[in-house]
Amino acid sequence: MKKPATPPPAAPPQERNFFHDVHQVTRLVPPGRVTSYGAIAHYLGSGRGARTVGYALMAANLDAITLQNEPPVPAHRVVNRLGQLTGRHHFPTPTAMQERLEAEGVRVEDDTVVDFEKLFWNPATELE
DNA sequence: AACGTGACCCTAG
DNA sequence: ACTAGGGCCACGT
């Protein structure tokens, strides 16, 4: 048999496991709390795939618009390890991220989350 | 199939 | 203590 190279006709559009996983974890972040890319990456086992996490979040934002089937992803609750809103530039407006965070009670000063360590929500610890 | 890209993180001097 | 550079993972074309 020469491997008919017959891909599953009814191949379900399985979203990228990684991306989907990142989206899922991000959605688990409760309002008023924030997490970091590295935390999610480490929780997913990527370890140094923090970069991919950010990439996934960006795609998540676009997918949310394209795929209305899935709930929106609170990407504004994900910041870098320093608590900086590094992804604010990728939001509809450069201040949307900060506005949303403040709306949840998270204070943001100079594009940095105040008391980031206090509000930090670690999936590996919280979800365990 | 390969290269380039990207909302990062870590280690070294 | 701070700054600089490289590395890693997954996706898109």
Side-chain angles (χ1 to χ4, degrees), chain A residues 4 8 15 38 43 51-52 80 93 95 97 104 109 116 120 127:
Chain A
E15 315 305 328
Y43 175 70
R51 232 175 185 193
T52 316
N80 74 343
T93 58
T95 53
M97 193 172 183
E104 294 182 354
E109 284 187 16
F116 168 66
F120 181 71
L127 292 177

Side-chain angles (χ1 to χ4, degrees), chain A residues 27-51:
Chain A
R27 280 183 227 151
L28 293 175
V29 181
R33 294 271 183 167
V34 291
T35 187
S36 64
Y37 307 97
I40 297 173
H42 200 274
Y43 175 70
L44 297 178
S46 285
R48 284 123 199 159
R51 232 175 185 193

Side-chain angles (χ1 to χ4, degrees), chain A residues 58-77:
Chain A
M58 179 180 80
N61 223 321
L62 298 174
D63 282 359
I65 301 170
T66 306
L67 306 174
Q68 296 180 335
N69 280 347
E70 296 190 6
V73 179
H76 62 273
R77 288 176 200 156

Side-chain angles (χ1 to χ4, degrees), chain A residues 52-115:
Chain A
T52 316
V53 175
Y55 207 61
L57 283 177
M58 179 180 80
N61 223 321
L62 298 174
D63 282 359
I65 301 170
T66 306
L67 306 174
Q68 296 180 335
N69 280 347
E70 296 190 6
V73 179
H76 62 273
R77 288 176 200 156
V78 184
V79 296
N80 74 343
R81 191 183 171 290
L82 303 175
Q84 294 179 332
L85 311 176
T86 52
R88 77 177 169 169
H89 276 187
H90 288 257
F91 273 76
T93 58
T95 53
M97 193 172 183
Q98 180 173 346
E99 292 290 327
R100 286 201 171 189
L101 283 173
E102 288 183 343
E104 294 182 354
V106 179
R107 257 171 308 191
V108 178
E109 284 187 16
D110 195 22
D111 303 329
T112 308
V113 176
V114 181
D115 296 332

